[in-house]
Amino acid sequence: MRAIVPFGVLVVAATLTSSPAAPALAKLRPVPFTDVKIADAFWLPRQETNRVASLPVNLENLEKAGNLEDLRLAAQGATNGYRGPVFMDSDLYKALEAASYSLAIHPDPALEKQLDEIIATLAGAQQPDGYLNSYFTVKEPTKRWTNLRDWHELYCAGHLFEGAVAHYQATGKRSYLNVAIKLADNIDSVFGPAPKRLGYPGHPEIELALVKLWRITGERRYFELARFFVERRGQHYFAAEHHTPLEQYDGAYWQDDIPICDHNNIKGHAVRAAYLMSGATDVARETEDPALLGMLNRVWRNAAEKNMYLTGGIGPSPHNEGFTVDYDLPNLTAYQETCATVALAQWSHRLALLYGDAKYADVVERALYNGVLSGVSQNGTKFFYVNPLESAGHHHRQEWFGCACCPPNVARTLASLGGYAYATSPDAFYVNLYIQGSAVAKVAGESVTLKVMTDYPWDGAVVLQPELAKPTQFKLRLRIPGWGPPARVTVMVNGESQFNPVVVSGYLELDRVWRPGDFVELNLPMPVQRIAANPNVEADRGLLALQRGPIVYCLEQCDQTEPLATLALPADAGLNAEKEANLLGGVVVLKGIGEVAPEQDWHRRLYQPGAETKPVRVIAIPYYAWDNRAPGAMKVWLPTTPPALGAGGLAARARVTMSFASNNSHPQGINDGIVAKQSSDQPAANCHWWPHKGSDEWVQYSWPKPVSVSGARAFWFDDTGRGECRVPAAWHIEFLDRGEWRLVEVQGGYPVAKDKWCEVGFAPVKTTALRLALKLQPGWAAGVHEWQITEADID
């Protein structure tokens, strides 16, 4: 048996011990992205694709969607014509931030001119008192600050501040920064301790942005406003704002249920939660408030140990774009919004700087190489909003979204990537990410250029060479990645092995007088690892995932010779890592031998563990690279024996067609194997006939060869209280017989009920197609969570 690495098991066990003393605050300084040069074969091409493809696509789509036109209307003093949701401005501000980062590392006069023109529009749209929001200038000028929970004014302002700081850092121009300062002064005149207004944003973000603005301008008022928004949170402001009785109020979605320092777990909307915690970390770094610091440590551990996907993302539920209960980490229906992964990386980076502890940087790396990078296609023009860890073949990147927060979020992250890689203290140079290139920073009073040579993440060999004007003593701290076996890490200085090197908070420390010509050789072994989930994660019990270095792998249908749903990868099967230079931009793939049940057993889906199996070739690719080729199924977590799928097998193998399907109806949801707990559950893939009401409808299963069937059952979708789908008035089963549809000879009647299977048996038939036919209730639509078929034992 090959070694299996637990994910989220050992660290969780540590929580059962007594609480340790509060860790000391390292307060490291990040090396700015402007002082980092990326020159590798992994990230540099992606940054270039981001510059030449993603940024233009972002700006073009923002023009098409109306984001830019909304601000032009505001600048013109228009009072109608606004397009889009209330938060349209924020997506533009993120794109401007991304473009500014790109300008800093790759000057582009045409792009800079385009930004100047947009910034001039912003300045024109800004009101005399400094207020700036196109929605409330054009569409609702009398409703400023009247719905902080839902209307995103403070959220939009935060993204404007971040974009303005980035633009000033990149160009030295104050045009955008001046707009930000005027808006910040306006907000500061409204919110704060009495006699100003109480309030805080329904969607946090402005807190971290105000801290950035304080640091770049030196205006302390901005920090104090960020502190106010953080420390006042949890006073049930939104209950008062919306006249909700406290006994009926649950503010968890907005992290407004309890005082900020009382939180023990991550909760609510995932992006909001991680942005709030990022801002709270910035405030705690300055105030050193032990209660706030304690909360941040508790909530981060809960997030990372009990609510984080293997790919570094958070937020499993599409219902609230966020959290449910600990260890609820489904794969096929995983939401894992791209923005949430970015937000977790930002928060973890802040904690890594605050404490100088490598465990936080481990999460940053896991997110960047997996959940963040999957958010954009290889060519940079399509994007994931939702990032499942399993797909039946129907989930694909899109060119744009009505809520387009994710594309510019990925773009700004990639453009500023160098800022996550290095940090310094007065006497130490920290390396958090191993990226070929260089970084310049002042350590021990001297300017040090650290050159890095590596083919990471495909190879764990790293050479580091500090270049300095004179001999200087400082500590070089190299992160020992949490994904690897630390006992096998080796390091040499000037060709001499360093035995029993000091390890401090997950960093290998080399404390010496560094001289010109010194070099370090670090070797981080990268075996192929099988990962086992925490046993509390129900969705992953009996399954294993593959990882090599920081890269999480998946199986994609286009690489396999057998249907992905039939494949298993035994725990002791050998796997070889091979570089494929011409595949997906150059990747290391994993190749091995998996298993499927014999064809006759698979046809009847009667395979039982222990039965004879058939060996098949298996190829795994990096998770971030899936859905860049032929559409098809994908899996991260894999069974170790061919699945015993039982009576649902025929449905899983069927092609699905419907009498009618709207744009938001997903026929594949009817046979995806996900069984609802109750009819009102909101699945990620929902098969329904809305907006058709009161009509006769059908859904059909088709097979390439005749199959024998003798029963069927349906679990109806019913969204009473929030939608227009109800259980049908009646239903029946038909089969295709020599080109004609005939009723099956049913044994009894057809039951109709919510929250349970509605099942019928019938005389066995042999057919290539079966229909579930429905009569919808007058005035109501209908939907089906799952439709399963019973095979008959006839030839």
Side-chain angles (χ1 to χ4, degrees), residues 645-705:
L645 295 172
L650 277 181
R653 291 164 44 208
R655 182 173 66 90
V656 183
T657 52
M658 296 178 66
S659 55
F660 167 79
S662 63
N663 290 336
N664 68 346
S665 179
H666 303 279
Q668 72 274 10
I670 201 170
N671 66 340
D672 60 10
I674 300 175
V675 179
K677 295 180 181 178
Q678 54 193 13
S679 292
S680 61
D681 287 355
Q682 185 68 45
N686 191 358
C687 176
H688 62 77
W689 286 269
W690 184 88
H692 284 197
K693 301 173 185 177
S695 53
D696 294 320
E697 306 291 349
W698 52 261
V699 59
Q700 177 177 322
Y701 283 164
S702 302
W703 298 272
K705 296 180 180 179

Side-chain angles (χ1 to χ4, degrees), residues 118-140:
I118 295 173
I119 292 166
T121 300
L122 298 182
Q126 191 162 37
Q127 302 302 294
D129 63 356
Y131 183 86
L132 176 54
N133 186 294
S134 66
Y135 180 87
F136 292 95
T137 299
V138 176
K139 192 170 183 178
E140 299 284 2

Side-chain angles (χ1 to χ4, degrees), residues 117-388:
E117 293 171 352
I118 295 173
I119 292 166
T121 300
L122 298 182
Q126 191 162 37
Q127 302 302 294
D129 63 356
Y131 183 86
L132 176 54
N133 186 294
S134 66
Y135 180 87
F136 292 95
T137 299
V138 176
K139 192 170 183 178
E140 299 284 2
T142 65
K143 294 185 178 180
R144 286 192 198 179
W145 313 126
T146 57
N147 187 350
L148 298 184
R149 191 189 72 182
D150 302 325
W151 285 355
H152 289 63
E153 287 163 279
L154 294 172
Y155 170 76
C156 290
H159 278 301
L160 183 148
F161 298 158
E162 286 202 272
V165 170
H167 184 258
Y168 178 71
Q169 289 175 320
T171 67
K173 297 178 181 178
R174 293 188 60 91
S175 53
Y176 196 2
L177 187 63
N178 288 338
V179 171
I181 290 170
K182 287 179 64 178
L183 177 56
D185 288 345
N186 173 267
I187 296 170
D188 183 57
S189 73
V190 176
F191 297 98
K196 299 179 186 179
R197 277 190 54 180
L198 174 65
Y200 34 81
H203 196 311
E205 204 280 341
I206 193 174
E207 301 87 347
L208 68 90
L210 282 165
V211 174
K212 284 188 175 183
L213 192 61
W214 160 56
R215 288 173 177 160
I216 204 74
T217 64
E219 178 52 71
R220 180 77 182 187
R221 286 185 297 113
Y222 304 149
F223 171 80
E224 294 299 336
L225 183 56
R227 181 179 183 178
F228 172 82
F229 285 143
V230 167
E231 294 181 348
R232 296 301 192 277
R233 198 170 197 91
Q235 295 186 11
H236 300 165
Y237 173 79
F238 302 136
E241 183 182 67
H242 290 265
H243 309 291
T244 304
L246 289 178
E247 64 272 15
Q248 299 175 17
Y249 180 66
D250 178 8
Y253 177 83
W254 306 278
Q255 300 80 42
D256 188 41
D257 53 331
I258 55 178
I260 186 70
C261 291
D262 291 351
H263 289 283
N264 291 309
N265 60 290
I266 197 81
K267 65 181 66 169
H269 187 276
V271 180
R272 300 175 197 227
Y275 277 163
L276 174 63
M277 295 302 154
S278 295
T281 303
D282 287 340
V283 170
R285 178 185 175 112
E286 179 69 9
T287 65
E288 301 186 12
D289 178 356
L292 191 57
L293 289 167
M295 180 278 294
L296 289 165
N297 282 298
R298 293 192 304 271
V299 175
W300 187 87
R301 291 194 65 171
N302 174 262
E305 297 169 6
K306 301 180 182 180
N307 289 280
M308 183 177 72
Y309 281 99
L310 183 64
T311 47
I314 52 175
S317 173
H319 177 65
N320 65 346
E321 294 189 316
F323 303 99
T324 53
V325 295
D326 289 347
Y327 304 112
D328 180 24
L329 295 167
N331 296 310
L332 189 65
T333 61
Y335 201 71
Q336 197 189 194
E337 182 183 340
T338 303
C339 283
T341 309
V342 169
L344 179 64
Q346 291 180 351
W347 178 27
S348 298
H349 182 235
R350 284 166 165 80
L351 289 170
L353 297 173
L354 182 62
Y355 290 111
D357 193 318
K359 69 183 180 184
Y360 302 111
D362 284 342
V363 171
V364 175
E365 180 183 68
R366 181 175 295 279
L368 290 174
Y369 280 97
N370 299 289
V372 172
L373 197 52
S374 66
V376 60
S377 63
Q378 185 182 348
N379 66 8
T381 63
K382 293 185 177 182
F383 310 92
F384 276 147
Y385 193 107
V386 175
N387 294 269

